[in-house]
Amino acid sequence: MCNMKSIKTNILLLGILACAFTACTDDYENLPVDQYTIEYVFSETDSAGVQAVRFLNAIYSTLPNGYNRVGSDFLDAATDDAVSLYMDSDPDVLRLQTGRYTASNQVSSNMNWGTWYESIRKCNIFINNIDHVPFNTTYMNSEKYTDSEGNEVVGRERPLGSSYKAEARFLRAFFYFQLLERYGGVPLVGNNVYDINDNLELSRNTFAECVDYIVSELDDIEDSLRTLPMRDAAAFAHVPTKQACIAFKSRVLLYAASPLFNGKTLEPGNPYVGYTDYDASRWTRAAEEAKKFIDTYGTLSTRTSMNKNKFQLAADFRNVFLNYYTSDVREVIFFRNNGSGSSTERNNGPLGFSGNKLGNGRTNPTQNLVDAFVMKDGKPRGESKYPYDPQRPYENRDGRLDYTILHQGSQWLNTQLDTYQGGANNPSGSGRFNQTSYYMCKFMGDFRTANEYGSHTELWIYFRFAEVLLNFAEAANESENREAYMDDIINVLIPIRHRAGIEAGSDKQYGLDRTMTREEMRAVIHNERRCELAFEEHRYYDIRRWREAEEIFKNPIQGMQVVKGTTQVVYTPINILNVDWSNKMYLYPIPYTEVNKNSNMVQNPNWRE
């Protein structure tokens, strides 16, 4: 714990000193309290904690906003699911996609080692000093508990300061996970706030130590976070709750159990890039954490629930991203609220419009992604009762296709789109062609029959109930207890498919089959994640943790060539990009500046300067 009376350091200076440990930028000076001392921010006389809360809010502001985050593109445009309209200008996502980066020449918009450590340092400053603030207010935890006399009570009064500290620890764990999924094991600094005079030649902690640290932090703070429903939800809906803590753990444990880190590591015996042994029980632990959330806080019912403490899938897939707190359904668990606007439409909406309809068409989904959406009966093409017609490629498909992607003939802005090259919505005069003939429409408002774009809530969702269901399905299918879990696996996938508009079928299984082998079910679950979570920054990490990228990128990334004649439209898939994948790309290189100045820093396999 820092000594309050001995610290006279200006917070702006503290931000500058952070550079001693990281290759950070100086965006710390954007904090609203950047000209004040720690004594002022964490004042022993500020019973409302005004400045301390402002400091915490500034940490929240460093959470990543996924909308066009990577050099103005979605991260998914660095996968097989999309490409950038601006491929000719060598955008960051193309460099990520094709591996054109090194330890010394990184893609700063996604390889932000220093940024995450800077945020961790801010969390530590807050954690070390918040106890000095004498909050005179408390909050009521709404969860049921049993008192000392055995009576069931709803609500437990807790100090407000303890909740704020737990939030900062949640955020710190979140920032460490950003590092873990990119680099593997990284240095853990605990609660330390280093300055320029400290010995900063810290070694990497092992992958196992990092996972254990993140999970133990989340275990420790779980009961100090607010729970839903919150009486003060309007003010605190964006903060991590106990439920968010469990959802986060389910993701961390799922990643840790995955092949890249558990059984098929890049370098056997290297403790920094994964576990040094395979252990199937890691899948079981991930399944148990997700099931804990589902059983305690969720419902698989497809009917509107009146239990405000239960998470379930919203009836309208579009509504998930636009209306996070409805009167009847709660699916979103933790999010960043970016306010209201139409920036998603402006950046990614179809070309060929102007004025209040203008879109820059930045994100172009691939034919590879379009092909992933199954037929309306839940079966893949060729196995479905619906014949697939390559000249009517969008008929009788999984409803999420049209929720996610605009294509030739889609209704948008009261117009039937022409997305072929030279068409009204892919005009030659735009300076660039959409090479795939597709546009992304996920996260956008329902502008199918509107005459112009309007403002709406723009959320970036980190955790939602659908992901927890998919986390459970995947982990349970891979676990030692697969046979015992089989009914549960099917039961969590059914409501996701029901919401997507897939037909139940005469057996009410929505195209699923309880007799599937582990490998067959794995393929279904992986594909379900791809379609349900498209553009939510999952695909990029999923194909890495599954160790499937090396196989996926053996095939070219494709678009659709659309030729519109006087009597018919002809569709022909075309190759638009070949990715020369290297297995070292499964993990990022530690920045060269860190390795060069720290003799204890071990580089990731096969990366050099």
Side-chain angles (χ1 to χ4, degrees), residues 312-384:
Q312 72 178 97
L313 300 182
D316 184 345
F317 186 74
R318 286 189 181 91
N319 203 42
V320 173
F321 310 99
L322 303 174
N323 191 357
Y324 63 94
Y325 195 82
T326 67
S327 60
D328 55 354
V329 170
R330 180 184 290 114
E331 179 171 350
V332 176
I333 300 169
F334 181 52
F335 66 94
R336 171 179 170 142
N337 191 342
N338 297 310
S340 295
S342 56
S343 63
T344 310
E345 290 80 8
R346 306 289 180 194
N347 287 325
N348 305 286
L351 299 171
F353 294 104
S354 60
N356 290 332
K357 300 179 180 181
L358 179 65
N360 289 321
R362 184 109 198 179
T363 305
N364 303 162
T366 61
Q367 187 63 40
N368 311 64
L369 175 59
V370 171
D371 288 344
F373 290 91
V374 296
M375 304 302 287
K376 193 163 60 174
D377 60 355
K379 300 291 187 180
R381 295 180 307 176
E383 300 176 22
S384 170

Side-chain angles (χ1 to χ4, degrees), residues 122-387:
K122 294 172 187 177
C123 290
N124 284 350
I125 291 172
F126 186 91
I127 291 164
N128 288 344
N129 292 286
I130 188 60
D131 288 342
H132 293 280
V133 181
F135 285 100
N136 62 6
T137 53
T138 60
Y139 74 97
M140 188 66 72
N141 193 319
S142 302
E143 192 168 29
K144 293 180 181 179
Y145 73 100
T146 303
D147 66 15
S148 59
E149 298 179 358
N151 300 313
E152 189 177 74
V153 180
V154 178
R156 181 188 302 215
E157 193 172 52
R158 293 185 180 275
L160 191 58
S162 69
S163 173
Y164 286 140
K165 179 183 281 190
E167 289 174 33
R169 291 174 68 183
F170 178 98
L171 294 174
R172 181 174 64 181
F174 186 91
F175 297 135
Y176 270 121
F177 183 70
Q178 301 302 306
L179 288 160
L180 186 75
E181 66 183 351
R182 289 164 168 81
Y183 299 99
V186 296
L188 298 171
V189 300
N191 290 347
N192 293 317
V193 178
Y194 291 102
D195 67 33
I196 202 167
N197 296 314
D198 290 321
N199 177 11
L200 301 177
E201 292 206 357
L202 303 179
S203 300
R204 294 175 67 175
N205 286 79
T206 67
F207 178 84
E209 288 170 341
C210 290
V211 171
D212 290 346
Y213 175 77
I214 293 170
V215 172
S216 66
E217 281 288 287
L218 296 174
D219 282 339
D220 198 42
I221 64 175
E222 188 175 304
D223 290 327
S224 296
L225 294 165
R226 294 176 176 85
T227 60
L228 293 171
M230 291 189 292
R231 299 176 186 181
D232 48 3
F236 295 103
H238 69 286
V239 305
T241 59
K242 179 175 183 176
Q243 292 90 339
C245 192
I246 299 170
F248 185 13
K249 275 190 286 183
S250 83
R251 185 188 294 180
V252 175
L253 292 170
L254 180 75
Y255 273 55
S258 298
L260 179 63
F261 306 114
N262 183 32
K264 293 182 68 177
T265 61
L266 290 179
E267 194 171 76
N270 183 337
Y272 304 121
V273 300
Y275 294 107
T276 55
D277 65 329
Y278 173 75
D279 187 347
S281 70
R282 294 182 182 120
W283 287 111
T284 303
R285 187 182 180 195
E288 289 171 348
E289 195 67 33
K291 196 169 191 303
K292 171 184 171 182
F293 186 103
I294 296 165
D295 291 346
T296 308
Y297 298 111
T299 175
L300 300 179
S301 172
T302 56
R303 297 181 179 180
T304 298
S305 171
M306 296 310 294
N307 187 334
K308 302 299 187 271
N309 197 34
K310 294 292 185 180
F311 286 86
Q312 72 178 97
L313 300 182
D316 184 345
F317 186 74
R318 286 189 181 91
N319 203 42
V320 173
F321 310 99
L322 303 174
N323 191 357
Y324 63 94
Y325 195 82
T326 67
S327 60
D328 55 354
V329 170
R330 180 184 290 114
E331 179 171 350
V332 176
I333 300 169
F334 181 52
F335 66 94
R336 171 179 170 142
N337 191 342
N338 297 310
S340 295
S342 56
S343 63
T344 310
E345 290 80 8
R346 306 289 180 194
N347 287 325
N348 305 286
L351 299 171
F353 294 104
S354 60
N356 290 332
K357 300 179 180 181
L358 179 65
N360 289 321
R362 184 109 198 179
T363 305
N364 303 162
T366 61
Q367 187 63 40
N368 311 64
L369 175 59
V370 171
D371 288 344
F373 290 91
V374 296
M375 304 302 287
K376 193 163 60 174
D377 60 355
K379 300 291 187 180
R381 295 180 307 176
E383 300 176 22
S384 170
K385 69 179 182 181
Y386 294 100

